[in-house]
Amino acid sequence: MSVDAARSEEGFTSAGAARVMAAACRAAGLDDREAELIRLGENALFRLASVPVIVRVARGEEWLPKARVEVAVARWLVSEGFPAVRIVEDLEQPFLIDGHPVTFWHLIVEGDRKATYGELGGILRDLHSLAVPAGLVLPSFAPFDKQQLRLDRAVIPDDDKVFLRKRWRELQDKYVELRFETPKGPVHGDAHVQNLMVDDHGRVILIDFEAFCYDHPEWDLMVTAVEHHSLGWQSDEQYADFVAAYGRDLYDWPGYETLRGIQEFGMTTWLMQNVQEDEETAAEYRRRIAGLRNDDAPRDWRPW
C-alpha cells in the first residue's frame, strides 16, 4: 500500500469519506448534492438524493480486493436468483478514488418492518447450500486480517493497545487448534440481522458482502450465537427461531468459546476505529474493552 493510501485510511472520517464520495460520483456521472451519510463503520455509506443509489466508501486501498469480491459475489447471487442487494450494473466497479475503493449499489426501499432472526437463519441455510461456481475465486475467512492495521492506527490508550495485542496472539493460538466438522462453502462473513433488509414488497434481502468467503459455515453462525449467549441481544424466543430455521445451535459445539473470543475481539476493534467521531462511540468502546478485560463479567455492550 502506498504512503498516500495509508494516510488516507488513517484519517478516515465522515468528512473525508464525503469528499471521496463526491469525487466518485463525479467520476460515475452521478449527482452527489444533498447525499446523506447513513453509516460510518468499516466503510462509509451514503444515500444519494438524486437517484436511488447507495455509495460505499472503503477505508483504504488494501480493501480493493474485498471490494472486487463484493462486486463479483453480488453479480453471482443475482444470477442465482438469491435475494441479495444489487450492484449498479452500468458502471465499471470498483472505483479507486484517492486511495479508497468505492462501489455503487441500488437503494433498497425499506418496508415497515425489520427482518427477524428466523429469517436470518433461513437465509443463511439457503446461502450455505449454494455451490460456488468455478470462476468465482473467494478467499478463506480471515478473522485476524484487519487487526494489525486497526491496532496500529487506533486513537486509544497505549495500555489498551498492549492488552489487545496480547489478546490477539492468544486468540490466534486458539484458532490454530479449531477443528471444524462441516464442509466448506459460501460464507457471508458478517451474518448479523442488520445485514438483512426487508423491502417495501416484503422481500428479505441480504446485504454487505465485504467479508464474503469460502469457508466453514460456523463463521456465520457465531455472530448470532455470541449476540445471544454472551451479549443477551436477543430473547430466547428470537434465538430459538434462528436455530429452528437454520437447524443448528453453535453453542453446543466445542469450538464455540474460541469463536466467541474472536467475535467479541472483532466487535471491539471495529468500533475502536471511530472513537474520534463522538463521545457516544468512545463510551461504547470503553464498555467493550472493559468487557474483554474480564471474560467472566456480564456484557453491557450496546448494539451499534
Side-chain angles (χ1 to χ4, degrees), residues 150-151 154 156 164 268-276 285:
R150 289 176 177 177
L151 289 169
I156 59 173
L164 287 169
T268 302
T269 60
W270 170 80
L271 191 71
M272 174 186 74
Q273 301 173 105
N274 296 324
V275 294
Q276 78 279 12
Y285 162 71

Side-chain angles (χ1 to χ4, degrees), residues 234-288:
Q234 300 95 31
S235 67
D236 289 345
E237 182 180 4
Q238 287 173 316
Y239 188 67
D241 287 344
F242 174 80
V243 170
Y246 188 85
R248 183 184 179 191
D249 184 352
L250 194 66
Y251 191 68
D252 299 328
W253 181 54
Y256 167 76
E257 282 300 326
T258 295
L259 265 60
R260 172 199 167 192
I262 290 171
Q263 176 68 7
E264 291 184 349
F265 186 87
M267 293 172 71
T268 302
T269 60
W270 170 80
L271 191 71
M272 174 186 74
Q273 301 173 105
N274 296 324
V275 294
Q276 78 279 12
E277 277 292 309
D278 52 58
E279 175 52 32
E280 188 178 9
T281 303
E284 178 62 24
Y285 162 71
R286 291 193 292 270
R287 274 190 289 273
R288 294 188 181 187

